Amino acid sequence: MMRFLLFLIGFYCWLVGPVSGQSNDAWSLHHELPVLTNYVNLAEPIDDIEEILAQEDNSSLKSWIYAVGIEVDIRPGTVGQWDTIPGVGVVWRIGIRADHALSLNVLLENYRMQSGMSLYVYDETRTVTAGPFDVKNNKNGGVLPVQSIPGSTIIVEWNIPLRQAADDCFTIVSVGYGFRDAEGAGGIVPMAAAATCNIDINCKDGNHWQREKRSVVRMQTIYWNDKRQRVTQVCTGALINQNSKTKKPYLLTANHCISTSEMAAATTFAFGYEKPSCKAAIPELTQQIAGSIILATKKELDFTLLQLSDDVAAKYKPYYSGWNASPDAPANGTGIHHPQGDVKKISIDNSPLVSATFKDEAADLICDDNAHWKVTEWNSGITEKGSSGSPIFDPNHLIVGSLTGGNARCTNPKDDYYSKFCEQWNKYKDMKESLKTWLDPDNTGKTMLYGYDPVTPFDGRCDTLGHIGYNEAQLLIASDRWGVLTGHNNKGWSGFAEKFENDTVVNIIGLEANIARAYTKGSNVRFSIWTGNEYPVQEVYSKDTIVTKDYRKYPMHIYFDKTLQLTGNYFLGYNISYQQPIDTFALYQSAKRPYEGLSALYINDGSWRAMSDDVPPTYASLGIKAMGHFGKKQTESYQVPFHDLKVVFQPGTNVIFIYFDDPGENVTVECFDVAGKLMPLNEVNRYIVMQNDITYLQIEANIDNLPFGMYIIRARDNKKTLGGKFIRLY
């Protein structure tokens, strides 16, 4: 009878006509439907929950079970409510209620959508929605896991366009009953989503890890445990780079998180689950990929390498972290993870990692001897249940391990164990038990690779370029009545910028700002980059940012949403507002320099001008740096004519050539840093050369002894004094 009814509904819709103008939202949002009255009611599985909690207490593994499955058999052909939308199609819905549940998730099998169909899962208030799921999800052997939705009631909605047969395209086989809330406090086990000593990734400690954090994802896996209970477990994983031109969506995690193809297929991966700024509200979890396959795994090393079922969309802002397969102990370690399924956190160990062996007999996990790095004690943050599989990075921001377990907690932040990347790399030669074949497919022999950023697309680390010397003081200079020269002051200056003279091709992905002052409640600042020859003219990128007081006396990294490739001079800086209440924001600047020192600081009081043109003049630089790649040259050498002295720096040789035209007697050459400090210059040779009928004294100097940065060259003889400059980037 039900199949005959479905046939009649489909035939009616075919007669009515085609659908048009539909969005990606569920149809019930745009069309008035009868009140849903068809619900499946489920009881609280108390016995199963208590058994899971008892097992968990005996293990030091840091995976986290927060839901237990209730087996169901929900098929559109046998249960649910059907409604017709004339001219559009058919809507099938079913409500699922579970007593006292804090969240619900569903697992679908036999999933085989037709083109145009879509499936949604949402709560009663439609605050949280998962989907749409459609024909693109026809993979993973017909398995589709759907993320947890907060609350004790969910609605599953299936939209079927006209002229499509409404056969059973899926079966809901399990409803995950959330007995602990992965999003907040409360539940059968009263606890916050993560311990209070955890540190949000977007607070100050995470400032230097804003690219690597984008590789870290929250994993939700539905599987059968040893007691034949279907449970939902939270772990953490990280996207990982490959030494190949084509980047596949590979993800590294722990074997005890995912060890079978069934678990891999029944996992959802959540991207960008983090607070937008330090101590902000928890966001909705919307960026998801469902399903994966196992490429390699090894229980004795507790690692698994997955390939996600889809490429990671650019709007998710993925980052593929680099790695280091060296067996040498890292000088320190930084972990990024999702403790107890909470928003992304960071943990920092300032001491060297130590070789160790991990064993947990209660969890039946005996790993190879000395196959783990041990964090002796965390200096900031900890890890918890749910952090398993998360990466630990070395000082070069490269993955050197993945978390297995340990005993660290807020009151005793000691003894966490990470499976060594160097052991995972190629200890076991079978490609199904090692990483090498997958991460170095061309067998180049590389054992270290920097990360890849498709948002700001280039491999490797970024350099920084600024105009304040390593040994130069950074300070604030008071204005004549109130305020400071690089922030709010009585002059009403609202814009501040540092000029970067450039005749190369530069790729800029962000800036580093040395914060001196910030408003207690957070300063609203617009960081910008402008092009222009003499003054800032064209704003090519800006980013509005709330700078919290945590960043005072600390460099803050501002990453752009794209790479800016620039030629010619450019300016980095910021704009501030004088609306009430007036902020107290400012960046550091260099100390005042003599008139021969570099002065690249510009201010805006209605129009841009150099601070050296102010009365009285100030020669200084702003505490701001460009981040990116600066080594791409338009020519084979980097030539900077400045005050008629030509200086040529040939990258890769650490040698500069200085050309002094029409030389007289006793030509002397001096080198200064941007603060005007005299620096030693290792002169190697002098030659008289002829170029374009002009006689030059060519002076060759080695600059190995100079730190990275900008330098000013002054050359003089008995007739004249000339000046030039160069930048050492490597």
Side-chain angles (χ1 to χ4, degrees):
M1 182 66 185
M2 176 62 74
R3 292 199 177 275
F4 179 68
L5 176 61
L6 296 179
F7 168 78
L8 290 178
I9 293 173
F11 181 69
Y12 170 79
C13 293
W14 180 83
L15 288 174
V16 172
V19 62
S20 63
Q22 294 302 316
S23 69
N24 286 328
D25 296 327
W27 290 349
S28 58
L29 276 175
H30 304 284
H31 301 276
E32 187 174 346
L33 295 175
V35 174
L36 178 63
T37 59
N38 204 316
Y39 282 80
V40 173
N41 295 296
L42 304 174
E44 183 178 11
I46 296 177
D47 292 342
D48 286 338
I49 294 171
E50 290 177 348
E51 187 172 3
I52 289 169
L53 294 176
Q55 297 170 16
E56 184 181 76
D57 290 340
N58 297 323
S59 172
S60 64
L61 298 182
K62 293 209 166 178
S63 54
W64 194 67
I65 295 173
Y66 75 94
V68 62
I70 301 174
E71 299 308 294
V72 296
D73 185 4
I74 299 175
R75 306 165 189 256
T78 58
V79 68
Q81 181 171 317
W82 293 88
D83 296 294
T84 300
I85 304 175
V88 176
V90 180
V91 174
W92 174 87
R93 290 175 293 165
I94 187 71
I96 301 174
R97 291 184 178 132
D99 294 340
H100 310 302
L102 294 172
S103 65
L104 295 174
N105 66 66
V106 293
L107 179 67
L108 282 64
E109 293 182 354
N110 307 314
Y111 181 92
R112 53 186 191 282
M113 283 287 163
Q114 299 174 29
S115 179
M117 294 180 174
S118 54
L119 185 75
Y120 303 83
V121 183
Y122 48 85
D123 62 341
E124 278 189 307
T125 63
R126 306 193 81 123
T127 303
V128 180
T129 299
F133 304 103
D134 52 30
V135 68
K136 295 191 296 294
N137 298 98
N138 288 352
K139 54 190 69 174
N140 298 318
V143 175
L144 178 68
V146 179
Q147 70 189 66
S148 292
I149 304 292
S152 60
T153 303
I154 59 173
I155 297 169
V156 182
E157 177 178 332
W158 180 25
N159 298 163
I160 307 162
L162 301 176
R163 300 172 184 170
Q164 288 190 348
D167 295 328
D168 285 349
C169 289
F170 58 88
T171 303
I172 301 175
V173 299
S174 179
V175 177
Y177 183 101
F179 59 90
R180 291 186 286 206
D181 190 354
E183 316 297 333
I188 292 176
V189 181
M191 58 196 306
T196 56
C197 66
N198 279 288
I199 300 169
D200 287 336
I201 188 63
N202 288 325
C203 291
K204 186 175 70 173
D205 284 350
N207 180 53
H208 293 288
W209 299 89
Q210 292 297 296
R211 287 206 295 171
E212 292 76 16
K213 74 173 185 181
R214 291 166 25 218
S215 71
V216 178
V217 302
R218 191 181 91 166
M219 299 162 42
Q220 175 184 295
T221 302
I222 304 171
Y223 70 100
W224 292 101
N225 66 9
D226 294 339
K227 302 294 183 180
R228 295 304 296 169
Q229 298 166 309
R230 185 132 40 185
V231 297
T232 305
Q233 170 182 271
V234 166
C235 282
T236 305
L239 292 174
I240 191 164
N241 195 14
Q242 308 111 58
N243 189 27
S244 60
K245 291 183 179 179
T246 302
K247 307 299 183 183
K248 297 180 179 180
Y250 289 172
L251 182 136
L252 182 66
T253 189
N255 171 275
H256 75 267
C257 290
I258 295 181
S259 58
T260 67
S261 57
E262 292 77 15
M263 296 176 75
T267 299
T268 55
F269 303 87
F271 293 81
Y273 186 47
E274 60 192 58
K275 295 180 180 179
S277 61
C278 186
K279 301 176 183 178
I282 295 176
E284 181 182 343
L285 204 165
T286 59
Q287 300 177 340
Q288 305 262 339
I289 288 178
S292 64
I293 60 172
I294 289 182
L295 302 178
T297 189
K298 189 66 175 176
K299 181 178 181 180
E300 289 77 8
L301 297 177
D302 192 38
F303 85 92
T304 293
L305 182 69
L306 302 170
Q307 181 171 345
L308 305 187
S309 63
D310 286 316
D311 289 333
V312 187
K315 65 182 179 180
Y316 292 2
K317 297 183 181 179
Y319 179 79
Y320 296 84
S321 279
W323 39 264
N324 186 355
S326 169
D328 298 335
N332 55 60
T334 299
I336 304 176
H337 52 104
H338 286 281
Q340 298 195 37
D342 201 353
V343 291
K344 208 168 292 177
K345 308 289 184 179
I346 187 169
S347 305
I348 299 173
D349 175 18
N350 294 326
S351 302
L353 303 183
V354 178
S355 286
T357 301
F358 182 86
K359 295 181 180 180
D360 189 333
E361 295 181 358
D364 188 30
L365 183 56
I366 310 298
C367 293
D368 289 351
D369 290 344
N370 292 315
H372 279 70
W373 295 120
K374 183 170 87 168
V375 172
T376 305
E377 183 172 3
W378 292 110
N379 296 97
S380 300
I382 57 168
T383 66
E384 295 188 82
K385 301 285 187 180
S387 302
S388 274
S390 62
I392 191 167
F393 298 90
D394 69 8
N396 291 317
H397 292 223
L398 305 177
I399 293 176
V400 292
S402 49
L403 182 64
T404 294
N407 301 308
R409 55 191 183 277
C410 288
T411 55
N412 190 36
K414 298 180 179 181
D415 300 342
D416 270 342
Y417 295 81
Y418 287 80
S419 174
K420 290 181 179 178
F421 189 91
C422 59
E423 295 281 305
Q424 302 166 4
W425 179 247
N426 201 33
K427 179 177 182 178
Y428 294 91
K429 304 305 179 183
D430 190 328
M431 63 184 296
K432 295 182 180 179
E433 298 180 332
S434 63
L435 298 176
K436 183 179 185 299
T437 301
W438 306 101
L439 303 187
D440 186 22
D442 297 329
N443 197 29
T444 66
K446 279 190 175 182
T447 57
M448 187 272 286
L449 184 69
Y450 286 111
Y452 171 71
D453 189 345
V455 176
T456 55
F458 54 76
D459 287 288
R461 294 186 300 178
C462 64
D463 301 313
T464 60
L465 180 62
H467 293 155
I468 298 181
Y470 282 90
N471 298 319
E472 190 175 7
Q474 296 192 54
L475 44 77
L476 289 173
I477 297 178
S479 183
D480 53 4
R481 284 166 46 199
W482 64 266
V484 294
L485 296 185
T486 54
H488 292 89
N489 58 40
N490 61 284
K491 302 173 185 289
W493 294 348
S494 59
F496 306 84
E498 182 76 0
K499 181 179 181 180
F500 291 82
E501 293 189 358
N502 169 57
D503 70 350
T504 70
V505 178
V506 297
N507 293 280
I508 300 178
I509 67 171
L511 59 88
E512 179 182 284
N514 290 330
I515 309 297
R517 291 182 174 182
Y519 188 46
T520 303
K521 296 182 180 179
S523 295
N524 295 297
V525 183
R526 182 172 191 170
F527 290 100
S528 300
I529 182 167
W530 301 266
T531 55
N533 186 30
E534 296 298 328
Y535 303 97
V537 175
Q538 179 66 43
E539 185 181 74
V540 294
Y541 186 84
S542 65
K543 191 165 187 176
D544 293 323
T545 306
I546 297 177
V547 183
T548 66
K549 64 178 182 179
D550 295 326
Y551 284 100
R552 291 186 297 210
K553 301 182 180 179
Y554 198 80
M556 182 177 187
H557 285 172
I558 307 296
Y559 284 91
F560 302 158
D561 294 329
K562 59 183 178 180
T563 298
L564 299 175
Q565 188 173 91
L566 303 175
T567 57
N569 297 344
Y570 58 93
F571 296 76
L572 290 178
Y574 53 97
N575 284 292
I576 56 178
S577 171
Y578 281 80
Q579 293 181 353
Q580 296 295 330
I582 295 178
D583 277 350
T584 53
F585 181 82
L587 292 196
Y588 283 111
Q589 67 168 76
S590 69
K592 292 182 179 180
R593 298 166 175 161
Y595 75 94
E596 290 182 340
L598 177 69
S599 184
L601 177 50
Y602 286 68
I603 51 94
N604 190 329
D605 57 359
S607 61
W608 287 101
R609 58 190 172 89
M611 192 176 281
S612 57
D613 293 335
D614 193 32
V615 180
T618 298
Y619 295 84
S621 282
L622 190 61
I624 199 166
K625 295 181 179 180
M627 298 192 301
H629 278 188
F630 306 95
K632 184 177 179 182
K633 309 300 178 186
Q634 292 174 305
T635 61
E636 291 185 358
S637 62
Y638 178 42
Q639 300 186 19
V640 187
F642 178 67
H643 292 174
D644 300 319
L645 180 68
K646 185 170 70 172
V647 181
V648 177
F649 172 35
Q650 294 185 329
T653 64
N654 284 340
V655 171
I656 61 170
F657 294 90
I658 303 164
Y659 294 90
F660 191 90
D661 65 301
D662 189 24
E665 297 181 358
N666 301 320
V667 176
T668 61
V669 178
E670 297 171 302
C671 178
F672 301 88
D673 67 10
V674 292
K677 179 183 177 182
L678 183 65
M679 305 294 289
L681 189 66
N682 183 16
E683 186 175 322
V684 178
N685 285 303
R686 291 189 174 201
Y687 307 92
I688 297 295
V689 297
M690 182 75 71
Q691 295 181 7
N692 299 323
D693 297 326
I694 300 176
T695 301
Y696 290 91
L697 174 64
Q698 175 182 299
I699 302 169
E700 179 181 344
N702 188 293
I703 59 171
D704 274 330
N705 61 307
L706 298 179
F708 303 152
M710 177 179 287
Y711 295 90
I712 299 167
I713 296 293
R714 181 170 65 187
R716 53 189 170 184
D717 62 5
N718 56 330
K719 297 185 293 184
K720 60 181 178 297
T721 299
L722 302 178
K725 63 185 176 183
F726 69 93
I727 302 171
R728 185 183 176 192
L729 296 171
Y730 348 81

